[in-house]
Amino acid sequence: MPLDGNAAGASRVVASRTSSWRYAVKRQRQLWLLRHAEAAQPAARDLDRPLTERGQRQAAQLGETLAASNVLVDLVLCSPARRTRETLAGLTLAPEPEVRIVGGIYEAGVDTLHELVREIDETATTVLMVGHAPGIPGLLHALADADSTTRLAPVAHHYPPATAVRLVSPLRWQQWDQAYLSQVQLPQA
């Protein structure tokens, strides 16, 4: 059914090369799960661990990859730990998304992180969660559907620092119990 660019519910309109018909693409919600980049060995307090030089490079390279892929993040949910905040800063996301520092992400288990996903405002389409292991990898394994098995292989047993994955689903955030793992981005540095 042809729709104009202002069709209700259409988040993206694609024009065909052979006709002027345009079709609405169903709105997909995207959740990026990012484990912070490489951090220094424990400081006096774990919350205060900074990124290493390698971690800073990892964050910058991931930011470049996201920008080259035209990833536009609406909302960031970030742990209060220094290493996660430095990872986020190193991404230099543009345009700058809304950022929420969420204490519940630090040392969170899968159930806590899953509840944070279900509480995301429905106006956000692309969300980035910056956190820690084992919570972030655990949430991936909890949400990845059966069709994601092949893509899950690179992070099935080890989720290195500065690894980001993208889960997609047309469901409302409140209904996220499973999603398709569409991308795994391993660190380059």
Side-chain angles (χ1 to χ4, degrees):
M1 176 168 102
L3 298 171
D4 68 15
N6 297 320
S11 61
R12 182 174 149 212
V13 177
V14 179
S16 166
R17 290 183 185 177
T18 57
S19 78
S20 60
W21 294 97
R22 290 186 252 169
Y23 300 92
V25 174
K26 190 168 186 173
R27 182 177 174 167
Q28 292 281 324
R29 286 177 175 74
Q30 300 180 45
L31 176 63
W32 286 85
L33 299 176
L34 171 59
R35 181 178 176 198
H36 63 79
E38 183 181 87
Q41 293 303 313
R45 288 182 352 136
D46 185 62
L47 276 170
D48 296 330
R49 290 173 52 203
L51 294 182
T52 62
E53 286 183 24
R54 180 176 185 221
Q56 292 170 2
R57 285 192 310 273
Q58 290 172 331
Q61 287 174 341
L62 179 58
E64 291 170 7
T65 299
L66 295 175
S69 299
N70 296 314
V71 175
L72 301 175
V73 176
D74 301 313
L75 173 65
V76 175
L77 303 175
C78 186
S79 162
R82 180 177 174 182
R83 59 193 177 273
T84 55
R85 291 180 288 117
E86 287 182 0
T87 298
L88 175 59
L91 298 177
T92 58
L93 299 173
E96 193 171 310
E98 176 185 350
V99 175
R100 295 183 193 160
I101 304 300
V102 182
I105 295 174
Y106 182 72
E107 295 186 340
V110 173
D111 292 341
T112 299
L113 296 177
H114 196 179
E115 189 58 34
L116 287 171
V117 171
R118 288 185 179 140
E119 292 173 357
I120 296 171
D121 186 280
E122 293 301 327
T123 59
T125 303
T126 303
V127 176
L128 170 65
M129 184 180 288
V130 187
H132 312 270
I136 291 292
L139 182 59
L140 167 63
H141 288 281
L143 291 177
D145 64 15
D147 293 333
S148 301
T149 305
T150 303
R151 290 191 187 271
L152 195 57
V155 290
H157 302 290
H158 181 60
Y159 200 105
T163 295
V165 300
R166 178 175 58 180
L167 294 161
V168 295
S169 174
L171 298 176
R172 299 170 58 91
W173 293 115
Q174 297 169 345
Q175 300 168 324
W176 268 56
D177 286 326
Q178 287 194 331
Y180 178 68
L181 175 59
S182 68
Q183 186 172 351
V184 174
Q185 184 64 49
L186 295 169
Q188 298 171 21

